[in-house]
Amino acid sequence: DVVMTQSPLSLPVTLGQAASISCRSSQSLVHSDGYTDLHWVQQRPGQSPRRLVYQVSNRDSGVPDTFSGSGSGTDFTLKISRVEAEDVGVYYCMQGTHWPPTFGQGTKLEIK
Amino acid sequence: QVQLVQSGAEMKKPGASVKVSCKPSGYTFTSYHIIWVRQAAGQGLEWMGWMSPTSGDTGYVQKFQGRVTMTSNTSISTAYMELSSLRSEDTAVYYCVRGFWLDFWGQGTLVTVSS
């Protein structure tokens, strides 16, 4: 199975500061037809997960533009340009290029 | 708006089976696969498999092969996930999700396995 490795696993951030989460895959996530099946999911405390970004860099409807996804091949990043209180939660990357789809371990973002 | 509404919490004994339902609304049920993901308490997310409401085709992660069955009833636009031979390690919240790109999630169903 493709292993998704996130870092850091814990991310204390001051309100208004930037934050960055890295996600590395054990194999390239580029499909034979060129697209990359890498998504980011947010899980706020006590809530169901919610997708934030799909196919590396496409923000979902309603997701603030403070969130951005980037990367290629095996290295991907989720950035929050200015952290707000509502951003607290756990962030997961997920790959769907290879069967079975796999998630990273999760990165817990908290406010300092 | 798109919603996936799941059945309520279940408590089962080891060795029993559980069947969780998922009723999407706000889109055509047969237009998207249904994915099932689970999360043990304090743990990460784990894919279990997928089901096509159109064809009935399924794909299960090897870990769950032989114990999980994903089905649907298109007449009532409802998907089901049945897990058998339950053990304590199956205690988790089970989510149904729309499509391989996981764009909409259900509220989750807590399944507790305890003697």
Side-chain angles (χ1 to χ4, degrees):
Chain A
D1 296 0
V2 174
V3 177
M4 304 297 287
T5 303
Q6 291 184 226
S7 64
L9 299 184
S10 177
L11 183 55
V13 184
T14 301
L15 284 173
Q17 295 300 302
S20 181
I21 301 170
S22 168
C23 174
R24 290 198 166 96
S25 57
S26 60
Q27 296 178 38
S28 172
L29 299 186
V30 181
H31 269 279
S32 53
D33 48 8
Y35 74 89
T36 300
D37 212 349
L38 184 285
H39 317 300
W40 290 94
V41 169
Q42 175 197 57
Q43 188 173 30
R44 290 170 169 152
Q47 295 188 14
S48 295
R50 159 202 183 198
R51 195 182 71 182
L52 292 178
V53 170
Y54 62 96
Q55 283 192 304
V56 181
S57 58
N58 297 284
R59 248 188 336 268
D60 272 279
S61 175
V63 174
D65 60 7
T66 52
F67 287 88
S68 63
S70 63
S72 62
T74 60
D75 283 326
F76 304 91
T77 303
L78 179 70
K79 290 183 178 170
I80 310 173
S81 59
R82 291 179 310 278
V83 169
E84 301 179 2
E86 65 183 18
D87 299 334
V88 164
V90 182
Y91 293 79
Y92 299 91
C93 60
M94 192 217 87
Q95 70 81 21
T97 299
H98 304 281
W99 182 261
T102 45
F103 289 95
Q105 321 96 299
T107 294
K108 186 173 185 178
L109 186 148
E110 59 183 25
I111 305 300
K112 274 187 194 172
Chain B
Q1 74 282 23
V2 174
Q3 285 188 306
L4 290 83
V5 178
Q6 299 182 223
S7 48
E10 302 263 12
M11 187 163 290
K12 296 291 182 181
K13 293 197 183 304
S17 297
V18 68
K19 192 169 186 176
V20 178
S21 70
C22 169
K23 185 169 176 62
S25 60
Y27 72 96
T28 301
F29 178 60
T30 50
S31 295
Y32 292 82
H33 290 67
I34 294 290
I35 310 302
W36 291 89
V37 172
R38 78 176 187 180
Q39 184 175 39
Q43 302 299 308
L45 301 169
E46 181 177 33
W47 253 76
M48 298 180 69
W50 60 269
M51 186 275 304
S52 165
T54 306
S55 63
D57 288 346
T58 56
Y60 303 140
V61 173
Q62 188 171 10
K63 174 178 179 177
F64 300 101
Q65 288 269 7
R67 285 207 304 140
V68 71
T69 305
M70 297 177 187
T71 58
S72 68
N73 183 333
T74 54
S75 67
I76 56 171
S77 299
T78 300
Y80 303 94
M81 187 283 299
E82 184 169 22
L83 190 62
S84 62
S85 302
L86 289 168
R87 33 212 192 226
S88 59
E89 310 90 87
D90 295 317
T91 294
V93 176
Y94 290 77
Y95 294 100
C96 64
V97 194
R98 187 180 85 159
F100 282 96
W101 289 3
L102 309 185
D103 58 357
F104 290 95
W105 294 63
Q107 86 274 21
T109 296
L110 175 62
V111 175
T112 304
V113 184
S114 173
S115 53

